Amino acid sequence: MMKYISLLILLLSFSFPLFSTEKVNILGVEMEWDGYKVKESETDLDPYSTSFDDIGEGRFFQSEYPVDKERYTINQGNMGETEVIHIHSDNPGPIIYIVAGVHGDERAAWYAGIIMENATIRSGELYILSPANKPGAERRNRYFYSSQDLNRSFPGSLDGTEAEKMAYAIFQDIKRVEPDFVLDLHEAIVYTEGRDFLGSTYIFSDLDLMSDLFFDLLWATEEGELCHNPFSYTGPGPMGSLNNTVSFQLKIPVITVETFRGFDIKRRVYDQLDSVQFVLDYYGMV
């Protein structure tokens, strides 16, 4: 019986390939595509040993300012317990909170967050949570646990699922800090008909909170001053996402940065860092 089943699978594979791929060209870059999503190339880039100049020599955070750095734990005692790094200047100024890698397989997002820990600022305070989805990052998986999507779990719950507990910890920390602005770093991989293409996209939920900054950011990509290519925009963020929940419940402006996983990892990290630096410069922090 097993012999006939194996023969049937072999015959079907000639008529209906089990893992068929083709080439697709996106913004001048050819990449493999299975009709739904692109294939992400492998990389040996280690964010923990990568400097700003390794990504864009002379481009990022070239000035050194005196700052203090400290770490503290959130979601303590639960799955995904992790640390936030707090970088603060002696000079008063705005507060920016970066949440990177809510989806664990979106590597350029949380790689950029890790590299950002090397930054200094001339004023204000910078909080960095990266990777926000530590279990997913360790498994290179979108989900926090099983099929639990952390970015559909906000504002979370102390008594909820593992993802809801983590979402609650993040949401409560942002609420406690009361930042002037939140950056939510993500990546996209889907490229198919009937589904919005989110690669190279900025996502908003409430433009009234930040319209000047948002359109300045978009225009800088259009003019070729920022990132490798122009970015598009969409909104609002989906229900249960960090973007939507923080924007509407806490009335704090949020931009989600979506790079595209079909491009080279260094290009993607570059565009993440470029977007972050633009926001910090807009607030006069660098």
Side-chain angles (χ1 to χ4, degrees), residues 72-281:
Y72 61 89
T73 301
I74 63 170
N75 203 33
Q76 194 162 9
N78 294 316
M79 175 180 285
E81 172 184 316
T82 190
E83 290 184 331
V84 177
I85 185 168
H86 178 205
I87 303 171
H88 51 99
S89 168
D90 288 337
N91 300 315
I95 302 173
I96 305 294
Y97 200 120
I98 298 173
V99 181
V102 168
H103 291 138
D105 57 346
E106 298 171 8
R107 289 182 292 172
W110 63 267
Y111 280 20
I114 294 296
I115 297 167
M116 274 299 303
E117 294 182 5
N118 298 312
T120 62
I121 51 177
R122 67 182 178 187
S123 63
E125 302 175 55
L126 180 62
Y127 290 80
I128 303 168
L129 171 58
S130 183
N133 181 351
K134 193 173 180 179
E138 290 170 349
R139 305 190 320 273
R140 276 189 61 182
N141 191 286
R142 172 185 177 90
Y143 299 105
F144 188 79
Y145 173 72
S146 184
S147 60
Q148 297 172 19
D149 191 332
L150 182 56
N151 207 38
R152 300 296 183 272
S153 301
F154 289 92
S157 169
L158 270 178
D159 303 314
T161 65
E162 296 297 338
E164 287 170 339
K165 291 175 184 176
M166 186 72 236
Y168 180 84
I170 296 171
F171 183 80
Q172 291 300 318
D173 198 50
I174 293 172
K175 184 178 180 180
R176 176 190 65 82
V177 169
E178 295 183 319
D180 295 280
F181 193 87
V182 173
L183 276 161
D184 176 33
L185 309 186
H186 281 259
E187 292 203 276
I189 197 168
V190 174
Y191 181 77
T192 189
E193 290 185 10
R195 179 96 173 247
D196 288 343
F197 174 58
L198 292 181
S200 300
T201 301
Y202 296 127
I203 301 175
F204 68 91
S205 287
D206 189 346
L207 272 181
D208 290 340
L209 298 172
M210 55 166 183
S211 59
D212 289 346
L213 167 57
F214 192 82
F215 289 113
D216 284 354
L217 185 67
L218 278 174
W219 184 247
T221 70
E222 288 285 344
E223 289 291 285
E225 300 168 1
L226 190 72
C227 301
H228 282 81
N229 52 268
F231 273 50
S232 60
Y233 66 93
T234 189
M239 293 296 295
S241 67
L242 182 144
N243 188 313
N244 187 293
T245 309
V246 170
S247 296
F248 290 126
Q249 293 195 23
L250 299 182
K251 299 301 180 183
I252 296 171
V254 183
I255 290 178
T256 298
V257 180
E258 293 270 7
T259 47
F260 188 57
R261 289 166 63 184
F263 298 135
D264 177 77
I265 187 73
K266 284 191 174 182
R267 169 176 173 157
R268 291 144 52 196
V269 173
Y270 182 107
D271 288 353
Q272 294 277 354
L273 293 175
D274 227 12
S275 301
V276 171
Q277 183 171 252
F278 185 94
V279 171
L280 295 183
D281 184 56

Side-chain angles (χ1 to χ4, degrees), residues 10 20 25 31-32 36 70 139 144 175 209 229 262 273:
L10 180 62
S20 61
N25 190 293
M31 54 194 76
E32 291 187 18
Y36 179 69
E70 60 191 17
R139 305 190 320 273
F144 188 79
K175 184 178 180 180
L209 298 172
N229 52 268
L273 293 175

